[in-house]
Amino acid sequence: MSSAPAYTPRHGAVYPSLAGTTVLITGGGSGIGEEIVRSFARQGARTAFIDIIEEPSRALVAEMRAEGHEVVFERADLTDIEATRGAIERIRAAIGPIAVLINNAAHDERASIDDVTPEFWDSRQAVNLKHQFFCAQAVYKDMVARGAGSIVNIGSFAYVAGVENLTPYLAAKSGVIGLTRGLARELGVHGIRVNCVMPGFVMTKRQLDLWVTPEVEKTIYERQCLKRKIQPADIARVILFFASDESGVCTNQAYVADAGWT
Ligand SMILES: NC(=O)c1ccc[n+]([C@@H]2O[C@H](COP(=O)([O-])OP(=O)(O)OC[C@H]3O[C@@H](n4cnc5c(N)ncnc54)[C@H](O)[C@@H]3O)[C@@H](O)[C@H]2O)c1
């Protein structure tokens, strides 16, 4: 592998349209989601997130508060649609009608073909696809009233790349594209944009703890055009763009942020 010369990226885009905007993020308590929460809060957005994990979520709220940002956390299991609706109601009461929705939460539990039961299959669709629709359904009227809105659904490069023992997850993630295109068509008349961002192999804590061995690192560098690791903040930056007015005519699309793997 020939590596590129050392270069330090200079980040720091500011999106004036996000300042003061209300943003709801699912799965904001860890992984890519926590970086999405930080990124919106630092843009001055009125930021709220739903997660099932309490302690890391509360620690993130405290971290943001120490930086001078008010971030709202509601605990809910997103596979419980009634509980999710209740959490969204409380978030709306706290930060106001929702202008931006980032459907980020998922769970990539693996199982080989013989281990997939009907119950496991359904649970994977519930945690990786179903709540994306019902969160959109719960907030889109806020966006209709505003005459604008942005929904970003997080997909995955994995269903294009092909990853072993992940078939139910990959089916759900390809479903995110269909969900995106259906909602974009249905909601575009109200000025609501709906896009999908498909991350590549991202160095989240979960990935590092479970999967990033020296052999996997070798594969990553072989397959990616860019010979560097993708960090959660790299994905959050792409999401900020699709949430902001700078992507005002982008809708009904899926953008792959995988350093050129696929
Ligand atoms: N990390 C990667 O390499 C990668 C690659 C491609 C796509 N993605 C996608 O990016 C998104 C974020 O992935 P990640 O790697 O940060 O995942 P992660 O597992 O590290 O974090 C997911 C977050 O969602 C929360 N969550 C999971 N199930 C929930 C439930 N039932 N109710 C409420 N919250 C729940 C978790 O508690 C966690 O905070 C996902 O949509 C994932 O499919 C990730």
Side-chain angles (χ1 to χ4, degrees):
M1 178 192 84
S2 64
S3 60
Y7 175 79
T8 307
R10 286 161 290 177
H11 299 300
V14 176
Y15 296 94
S17 64
L18 293 179
T21 296
T22 49
V23 181
L24 167 59
I25 298 146
T26 66
S30 70
I32 299 170
E34 69 172 307
E35 207 50 45
I36 300 172
V37 168
R38 287 191 188 99
S39 300
F40 278 102
R42 288 170 184 162
Q43 293 285 331
R46 296 162 68 81
T47 307
F49 68 99
I50 294 174
D51 207 296
I52 199 167
I53 48 167
E54 291 243 26
E55 214 182 294
S57 298
R58 298 210 183 281
L60 180 59
V61 170
E63 178 196 324
M64 289 294 94
R65 193 164 290 167
E67 280 188 21
H69 310 297
E70 275 306 323
V71 168
V72 171
F73 161 61
E74 278 289 334
R75 189 198 171 277
D77 179 349
L78 288 154
T79 66
D80 180 341
I81 301 302
E82 276 316 307
T84 301
R85 285 174 172 154
I88 292 174
E89 269 309 308
R90 291 190 293 279
I91 283 170
R92 184 181 287 112
I95 67 169
I98 308 302
V100 172
L101 168 66
I102 312 299
N103 270 322
N104 164 75
H107 197 270
D108 64 347
E109 191 174 334
R110 302 188 182 204
S112 62
I113 185 164
D114 290 325
D115 294 329
V116 175
T117 61
E119 293 73 25
F120 181 78
W121 176 273
D122 288 347
S123 73
R124 294 310 91 194
Q125 307 314 307
V127 78
N128 292 311
L129 177 62
K130 185 177 176 184
H131 60 83
Q132 291 204 1
F133 175 83
F134 285 99
C135 285
Q137 187 193 57
V139 302
Y140 87 92
K141 285 182 184 147
D142 292 355
M143 301 177 184
V144 172
R146 184 172 174 260
S150 177
I151 299 174
V152 183
N153 300 322
I154 308 307
S156 177
F157 85 122
Y159 95 86
V160 183
V163 179
E164 279 177 9
N165 299 331
L166 260 183
T167 301
Y169 171 89
L170 301 183
K173 285 296 180 183
S174 66
V176 171
I177 304 285
L179 173 80
T180 299
R181 295 187 67 85
L183 289 176
R185 189 59 65 185
E186 206 167 339
L187 300 179
V189 66
H190 302 295
I192 300 168
R193 301 182 295 107
V194 189
N195 291 289
C196 173
V197 169
M198 297 162 66
F201 200 125
V202 184
M203 299 297 134
T204 57
K205 184 173 182 318
R206 183 175 158 81
Q207 294 281 47
L208 290 166
D209 288 350
L210 291 181
W211 304 113
V212 184
T213 59
E215 297 76 55
V216 168
E217 262 190 39
K218 192 166 165 279
T219 306
I220 290 171
Y221 288 133
E222 276 167 10
R223 300 295 296 273
Q224 289 183 183
C225 297
L226 300 175
K227 311 301 177 188
R228 77 166 180 87
K229 292 176 181 167
I230 304 174
Q231 301 299 336
D234 291 313
I235 305 304
R237 284 183 199 108
V238 179
I239 293 168
L240 285 182
F241 171 72
F242 282 109
S244 79
D245 288 356
E246 302 311 310
S247 57
V249 291
C250 301
T251 190
N252 202 21
Q253 299 303 321
Y255 190 82
V256 186
D258 70 351
W261 184 309
T262 55

